[in-house]
Amino acid sequence: MHQKIGLEKPMEIEKKSFSIIERHLQHVSLPEAEYSILKRVIHTTADFDYVENLTFSKGAVSIALRALQNGADIVTDTNMAYAGIHKSALQTLGGTVHCFMADADVAKAAKERGVTRAMVSMEKACTLQKELIFAIGNAPTALIRLTELIKEQKIQPKLIIGVPVGFVNVIEAKNMILEGSTPYIVAKGNKGGSNVAAAICNALLYQLITRD
């Protein structure tokens, strides 16, 4: 005989999920701001490997929170991450989410130059006259080009969320961010994804605003 499954409300399910996660994280010692980000990433992925994989540079979270309070914009490398970020929460703080991947001028330039749209998207972000947080969950080439643009002093991100998923150039691109001086939140290794990038953005936003 099968056990009857209760149909709970969404917020009750989320609360119960976080309770389960917290029981598994009793051994984890992190500042509250970083701990809340880790919990949301695990909630999004059901993957406790992020306890070991998710890495924060010193002061990165507090720098990012100040930037968001100042109305910083977020730039993503996928429309999936764009869709997953709580845009009304960001707008409350004066910020906007951008994803240039589907822009006609980006596609045209990428084809003419024989480079990825993700690389051209990072270049286009240099035209934004705002403090910027980059949430990269798919394209390692975005991280590579972003590193180059930083070295060329064409852009100075407040935070890089470097969590592309995959096997080709992923670890190498993440290491470029880990070795740089820009504040970062990076998922070491091959794991990550657009959902992880969005989850980290939302975890930051939820520390600043009351959720709808």
Side-chain angles (χ1 to χ4, degrees):
M1 184 175 179
H2 294 293
Q3 184 178 355
K4 187 177 180 180
I5 299 173
L7 298 178
E8 298 172 275
K9 295 180 180 179
M11 290 304 293
E12 292 173 349
I13 294 171
E14 183 177 86
K15 185 177 180 181
K16 186 175 288 187
S17 295
F18 274 103
S19 178
I20 293 168
I21 291 167
E22 287 167 1
R23 287 204 299 272
H24 283 82
L25 297 183
Q26 290 179 4
H27 66 290
V28 174
S29 178
L30 279 175
E32 181 56 35
E34 296 179 2
Y35 183 64
S36 67
I37 293 171
L38 174 62
K39 285 194 297 183
R40 188 152 293 278
V41 169
I42 293 172
H43 178 259
T44 298
T45 61
D47 188 345
F48 284 94
D49 282 355
Y50 284 101
V51 172
E52 303 297 332
N53 297 347
L54 201 63
T55 307
F56 304 82
S57 64
K58 186 176 180 180
V61 175
S62 58
I63 291 167
L65 292 174
R66 282 197 300 272
L68 289 168
Q69 285 178 313
N70 291 335
D73 285 359
I74 297 173
V75 178
T76 80
D77 66 328
T78 65
N79 280 311
M80 183 183 294
Y82 175 90
I85 294 171
H86 197 316
K87 286 173 280 295
S88 63
L90 184 60
Q91 289 166 2
T92 298
L93 298 166
T96 303
V97 185
H98 305 273
C99 181
F100 302 124
M101 291 292 285
D103 290 7
D105 59 334
V106 168
K108 183 173 182 290
K111 185 176 181 180
E112 289 174 349
R113 292 163 51 193
V115 298
T116 68
R117 286 182 295 164
M119 296 177 76
V120 180
S121 291
M122 297 301 100
E123 296 168 2
K124 187 168 182 176
C126 293
T127 65
L128 297 171
Q129 301 300 309
K130 294 282 293 290
E131 292 186 347
L132 298 176
I133 290 172
F134 284 83
I136 309 302
N138 181 68
T141 55
L143 291 183
I144 293 168
R145 185 63 183 129
L146 195 52
T147 301
E148 293 171 347
L149 292 167
I150 291 168
K151 289 180 179 178
E152 294 165 10
Q153 298 185 340
K154 293 181 179 177
I155 199 163
Q156 189 175 2
K158 288 297 180 180
L159 175 73
I160 298 173
I161 298 169
V163 293
V165 60
F167 300 98
V168 180
N169 295 325
V170 167
I171 294 174
E172 294 83 354
K174 289 176 179 179
N175 285 340
M176 293 175 74
I177 303 303
L178 291 168
E179 293 164 4
S181 58
T182 303
Y184 63 75
I185 301 173
V186 169
K188 291 181 179 179
N190 303 103
K191 291 186 177 183
S194 297
N195 59 333
V196 175
I200 293 171
C201 291
N202 289 338
L204 290 166
L205 290 168
Y206 296 157
Q207 293 184 46
L208 296 172
I209 59 102
T210 302
R211 294 176 59 188
D212 295 333

